[in-house]
Amino acid sequence: MNLIRSTLHMLWMIVTVIPWALAVLIVSPFVNSTRVYWMCARWLKLAVDSGTVIMGIRNRVTGMENLPLGAQDGAVLLVKHQSAWETFTLPAIMPHPLAYVFKKELLYVPFFGWAMGRLDMIHIDRSRRAEAFNKVVAQGRRLMDQGVWVIMFPEGTRIPRGEKGKYRSGGTRLAIECGAPVIPIAVTSAKCWPRKAFVKKPGIVDISIGPAIPSVGRKPDELMREVEAWIEAEMLRLDPEAYPSGEARPSRLKPGEG
């Protein structure tokens, strides 16, 4: 049954993404980037809602009160990454537009990537690290001045359930450069949608939004250690079955392998 449900959901995604992407390509030259973003976010919400209806995957979100309240307040969201589910869900539930930092190769994915290229997001060339980070800071500062929140996955890739990747300090460096708070977010999506799995199973995905952590006067590595400690402790609380030893197993994955 889970195979049938997963297949139906995948077919639904394929069938709907093509007209959605074409609509974005047609409309984007004539409207501002914010309107294009919310147009895309509505499709992502449909993708999440269809995942609930077809596959039985439900979100349980806590901590929304920890998000900045001002319309122009910037923030850097640092998120535990276990599957594609959170990449769909977070734009669907957040009150501000989000700008993902992602590798430029995703722009070449038919329809989905073409539409992403019309959004005001931060796509980087990972082979040019110094240049890439300068681009992240420049674009991140501009976007956050407009009230857009930058979202990053500090482990750099999707991490299997019960494991912990290496937390890299790019997100906290960006926050410090821009004077923006960091928002740590724990996500248990691998309980229902394991990394790179085609067959998903019904259940509850917890999305826990932590308290904002000020970045002013902090050091990037020190701040990232605080983010890591909060996320991993929250993962253990939310999904104790994944951590039989009481702590996460080190992941063997390298950034970009997910």
Side-chain angles (χ1 to χ4, degrees), residues 159-247:
I159 302 297
R161 186 183 181 196
E163 295 186 10
K164 179 177 72 169
K166 179 177 175 57
Y167 280 70
R168 300 180 183 276
S169 61
T172 50
R173 288 172 63 195
L174 170 64
I176 291 167
E177 289 278 353
C178 298
V182 168
I183 311 292
I185 301 178
V187 180
T188 64
S189 56
K191 292 169 66 176
C192 302
W193 188 321
R195 175 181 175 269
K196 292 188 175 181
F198 179 80
V199 178
K200 293 85 176 179
K201 57 185 179 181
I204 294 175
V205 172
D206 279 294
I207 299 171
S208 178
I209 302 166
I213 306 173
S215 65
V216 177
R218 303 292 297 272
K219 299 293 184 183
D221 289 340
E222 171 211 358
L223 180 54
M224 185 54 77
R225 284 194 294 271
E226 183 174 345
V227 170
E228 177 182 352
W230 188 90
I231 290 177
E232 293 302 325
E234 188 70 352
M235 292 298 296
L236 177 60
R237 184 185 74 82
L238 295 172
D239 190 15
E241 293 179 358
Y243 302 90
S245 67
E247 61 182 6

Side-chain angles (χ1 to χ4, degrees), residues 27-75:
V27 168
S28 58
F30 307 105
V31 300
N32 64 45
S33 60
T34 301
R35 291 187 66 182
V36 175
Y37 174 86
W38 290 118
M39 179 179 175
C40 295
R42 283 193 292 271
W43 179 83
L44 293 171
K45 186 176 188 307
L46 285 174
V48 173
D49 290 345
S50 68
T52 300
V53 173
I54 298 172
M55 298 189 296
I57 300 175
R58 295 183 290 116
N59 288 322
R60 180 166 56 196
V61 183
T62 57
M64 290 291 286
E65 69 278 5
N66 292 324
L67 296 171
L69 297 177
Q72 299 300 118
D73 289 347

Side-chain angles (χ1 to χ4, degrees), residues 74-96:
V76 177
L77 311 185
L78 298 180
V79 185
K80 183 74 175 181
H81 194 19
Q82 292 191 323
S83 78
W85 183 256
E86 55 268 16
T87 64
F88 298 151
T89 295
L90 289 169
I93 66 172
M94 288 294 167
H96 279 231

